[in-house]
Amino acid sequence: MGSLAARWQAAMMNNYGTPPLALVRGHGAEVWDEDGRRYLDLLGGIAVNALGHAHPAVVEAVSRQIATLGHTSNLYITEPPLALAERLLELLGRPGRVLFCNSGAEANEAAFKMARRTGRPNIIAAEEAFHGRTMGALALTGQQSKRTPFEPLTPGVSHVPYGDVAALAAAVDADTAAVFLEPIMGEAGAVTPPEGYLRAAREITAARGALLVLDEVQTGIGRTGAWFAHQRAGVQPDVVTLAKGLGGGLPIGACVGFGAAAELLEPGQHGTTFGGNPVCAAAALAVLDTIAAEGLLEHVALLGKGITTGVEELGHPLVRGVDGAGLLIAILLTEPVAAAVMEQAREVGILINNAVPDRVRLAPPLVLTEAQAREFLAALPGILDGATP
Ligand SMILES: Cc1ncc(COP(=O)(O)O)c(C=O)c1O
């Protein structure tokens, strides 16, 4: 055990267990551990480090802003979060209103409160969906193992099978305040719904006067090769929640409302001390600028296709398919050995994630290079052989 792991065990709460690796620095899609060993980072801080590690645009924006005005609270206007809200609305393509917070769970908490403000009692979300671990977000989360230890949860939320239009249509009625959905279920292992599912969800919610809240915490900010995954699906939600890639490694989340949904929260009904902090907002602006300037959406779409095709063409007996979009990719396994695949990959210097027992997830920095993608594909057969039971 390395020296940092020993200190971790002594001082940190045990909710994460002790991580197997202590990282000390990063550059692009590479990180180095405390012994100086280099890893290819195909997880990017769980779909967070959109520009990779130590990107000069983020370093410059954060350094400049912290040296100018680091924090004021929301009792005062500062320019960076305002510019960021304007930019997000421009990218989302519609007028709306933005509330900043510090994480994905908080973005969904805000959306949950907006749903309550409709006056309707019920919320529908998807089985196996992940929306965060605070008590409201956990009530939305459809993974029983995460819910059970903390029951009773916030009432009024029920879950339907993801991707099942008939089940959704049967569940949504005049008492439904909102339907919460991920465009692709990230923590469930990059699960893509059947074609047309999000459009059907839009039609069903619109017909019954319920809000459609799309949780783009994991799929937003270029991850799937579009600015936002719902744009690929051609739907217009009432609310979009964002975090992860938005700050490129700094903690910032956003809840964006459109139309009547944008007006649901009134003065005094919600707030956060740090939300929209100018330093995090400056980082987010640098992320958005760089994605646009470097053509990263096209890069993500192309590289994602290349990796997907490369994995499929291996024809390895442990692989039964590939799921996801852009650089949110799941390798589907014929056996529940995702943890072994993750460990084998780490052994050869590649970081990936065992999202669920039979799905390995990749969510690398959007700046991953073609050469790095090839490095992964070249190593994959050996990794899979090593994990084969
Ligand atoms: C879709 C989705 N929503 C919400 C969250 C929670 O975000 P956070 O961990 O920043 O609270 C996550 C995190 O994995 C997520 O993937």
Side-chain angles (χ1 to χ4, degrees):
M1 187 165 54
S3 62
L4 293 181
R7 283 168 53 200
W8 176 285
Q9 277 185 352
M12 304 294 266
M13 267 196 207
N14 204 25
N15 57 308
Y16 300 109
T18 304
L21 211 57
L23 299 177
V24 292
R25 74 185 172 92
H27 177 81
E30 297 172 305
V31 288
W32 284 264
D33 72 11
E34 58 182 332
D35 300 321
R37 183 166 184 216
R38 173 259 190 199
Y39 296 83
L40 181 60
D41 181 6
L42 298 185
L43 193 55
I46 320 185
V48 165
N49 299 305
L51 304 187
H53 301 273
H55 193 285
V58 175
V59 173
E60 193 279 326
V62 166
S63 307
R64 180 171 30 81
Q65 189 59 45
I66 192 76
T68 308
L69 185 66
H71 175 79
T72 64
S73 86
N74 289 297
L75 298 177
Y76 308 98
I77 295 172
T78 61
E79 215 263 343
L82 180 55
L84 179 60
E86 290 165 348
R87 179 76 62 79
L88 283 173
L89 293 171
E90 191 184 309
L91 296 174
L92 284 157
R94 285 186 291 155
R97 294 186 185 277
V98 182
L99 180 150
F100 287 116
C101 54
N102 314 287
S103 67
E106 284 174 81
N108 288 324
E109 289 289 335
F112 199 134
K113 288 178 82 171
M114 288 161 68
R116 284 287 196 254
R117 290 286 304 145
T118 64
R120 295 183 177 197
N122 297 333
I123 291 176
I124 312 289
E127 290 170 7
E128 303 309 321
F130 186 80
H131 297 291
R133 293 174 184 262
T134 54
M135 290 304 274
L138 189 57
L140 299 168
T141 290
Q143 301 181 8
Q144 201 52 47
S145 63
K146 297 190 171 76
R147 298 165 55 87
T148 304
F150 303 102
E151 286 168 345
L153 299 175
T154 312
V157 185
S158 55
H159 294 85
V160 294
Y162 186 69
D164 183 336
V165 173
L168 191 63
V172 179
D173 60 24
D175 283 336
T176 307
V179 172
F180 280 70
L181 291 173
E182 295 169 80
I184 295 173
M185 291 204 294
E187 294 305 295
V191 177
T192 308
E195 171 70 24
Y197 179 61
L198 292 179
R199 279 198 305 280
R202 175 67 287 181
E203 281 160 23
I204 291 164
T205 47
R208 293 166 206 178
L211 301 175
L212 178 63
V213 181
L214 292 185
D215 178 345
E216 293 241 31
V217 165
Q218 188 150 165
T219 54
I221 318 297
R223 174 60 50 195
T224 67
W227 281 109
F228 305 98
H230 69 264
Q231 294 171 332
R232 299 173 72 240
V235 299
Q236 295 200 332
D238 301 294
V239 181
V240 174
T241 57
L242 301 168
K244 287 197 181 275
L246 178 59
L250 274 85
I252 183 167
C255 177
V256 187
F258 301 99
E263 315 298 333
L264 284 165
L265 292 179
E266 292 169 10
Q269 290 187 333
H270 197 48
T272 145
T273 301
F274 292 115
N277 167 288
V279 176
C280 297
L285 282 163
V287 168
L288 300 179
D289 281 348
T290 307
I291 290 175
E294 296 187 0
L296 288 179
L297 299 183
E298 297 76 15
H299 174 73
V300 165
L302 220 66
L303 203 58
K305 277 207 185 79
I307 294 174
T308 299
T309 309
V311 172
E312 284 168 347
E313 282 176 354
L314 285 182
H316 195 281
L318 197 56
V319 176
R320 64 181 165 86
V322 185
D323 201 353
L327 286 178
L328 178 58
I329 299 172
I331 301 174
L332 279 51
L333 306 173
T334 53
E335 304 280 344
V337 293
V341 174
M342 175 183 68
E343 279 158 28
Q344 286 292 323
R346 196 168 61 238
E347 288 294 311
V348 303
I350 296 176
L351 303 184
I352 55 179
N353 166 251
N354 59 330
V356 292
D358 66 347
R359 283 172 177 251
V360 171
R361 176 180 46 171
L362 314 182
L366 310 185
V367 296
L368 185 79
T369 66
E370 271 183 56
Q372 289 167 333
R374 280 198 301 274
E375 177 188 341
F376 168 67
L377 290 172
L380 190 55
I383 294 169
L384 294 168
D385 287 348
T388 301

